């Protein structure tokens, strides 16, 4: 799996950390809710918030206590931390993985589309950044008629789509 370009490791992601010719230091691990992974001999290593390359460098630095010039590879096996939440009057409300660039309209389609009595002109995308919550209005009817297409924004991990 090739992670998205802006990918940073997050809780619940599954990684393979491989130290060449050092099976005792290698492991397939899941990132814990506290953002750390546990590796043999190295114990707890902070992983959340780092890119795979930054984690590789960190593990290389830690492993150098045990191995002369360790060669470390970090493989992203499964991305579980990049989630978008869809709630309200859609066919399949729930949590959806954000695997690449995805718009509001695409995510609504992934959630099975709007229910019959959904207020399609009052959909809201909620995004929290730096402790502040922003809201973005989304009018399904306008977008379906190719109007105001700028409201069909790209989603980010943690976004919530609310369909009243």
């Amino acid at each position: 799996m090739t992670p998205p370009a802006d990918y940073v490791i997050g809780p619940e992601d599954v990684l393979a950390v491989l130290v060449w010719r050092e099976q005792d230091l290698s492991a397939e691990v899941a990132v814990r809710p506290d953002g750390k992974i546990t590796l043999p001999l190295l114990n707890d290593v902070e992983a959340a918030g780092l890119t795979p390359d930054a984690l590789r460098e960190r593990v290389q630095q830690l492993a150098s206590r045990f191995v002369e010039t360790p060669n470390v590879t970090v493989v992203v096996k499964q991305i579980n931390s990049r989630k978008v939440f869809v709630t309200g009057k859609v066919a399949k409300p729930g949590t959806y993985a954000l695997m690449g660039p995805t718009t509001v309209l695409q995510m609504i389609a992934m959630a099975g589309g709007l229910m019959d009595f959904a207020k399609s002109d009052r959909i809201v995308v909620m995004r929290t950044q730096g402790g502040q919550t922003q809201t973005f209005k989304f009018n399904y009817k306008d977008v379906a008629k190719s109007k105001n297409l700028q409201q069909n924004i790209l989603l980010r991990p943690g976004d919530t789509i609310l369909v009243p």
Side-chain angles (χ1 to χ4, degrees), residues 57-162:
E57 289 173 16
R58 178 78 180 122
V59 171
Q60 227 164 260
Q61 179 185 10
L62 293 169
S64 66
R65 297 185 314 208
F66 304 100
V67 178
E68 194 175 320
T69 60
N71 187 344
V72 177
T73 303
V74 173
V75 179
V76 178
K77 302 286 269 184
Q78 199 173 351
I79 299 174
N80 298 321
S81 63
R82 294 175 56 95
K83 296 176 184 167
V84 170
F85 307 91
V86 184
T87 186
K89 294 182 179 161
V90 290
K92 297 181 282 183
T95 306
Y96 291 86
L98 194 58
M99 299 310 285
T102 307
T103 65
V104 178
L105 188 60
Q106 290 169 331
M107 188 56 67
I108 289 171
M110 289 168 66
L114 302 176
M115 301 287 282
D116 288 342
F117 297 104
K119 293 181 176 74
S120 63
D121 58 342
R122 297 195 8 226
I123 298 168
V124 174
V125 177
M126 298 171 63
R127 175 176 296 159
T128 303
Q129 282 183 300
Q132 300 288 320
T133 300
Q134 294 178 282
T135 58
F136 302 90
K137 293 181 177 172
F138 181 81
N139 185 325
Y140 186 91
K141 290 177 185 175
D142 279 358
V143 173
K145 293 176 187 170
S146 297
K147 292 184 189 171
N148 300 323
L149 295 178
Q150 72 280 2
Q151 65 186 323
N152 191 23
I153 61 172
L154 284 175
L155 296 168
R156 294 187 186 161
D159 283 356
T160 299
I161 299 173
L162 176 60

Side-chain angles (χ1 to χ4, degrees), residues 6-13 15 31-37 45-56 58 81-82:
D6 63 345
Y7 172 71
V8 292
I9 298 165
E12 299 180 33
D13 289 347
L15 311 170
V31 181
R32 300 189 315 242
D34 66 357
K36 296 181 180 180
I37 57 174
V45 178
E46 188 70 41
L50 299 176
T51 63
D53 269 350
L55 179 60
R56 179 186 57 75
R58 178 78 180 122
S81 63
R82 294 175 56 95

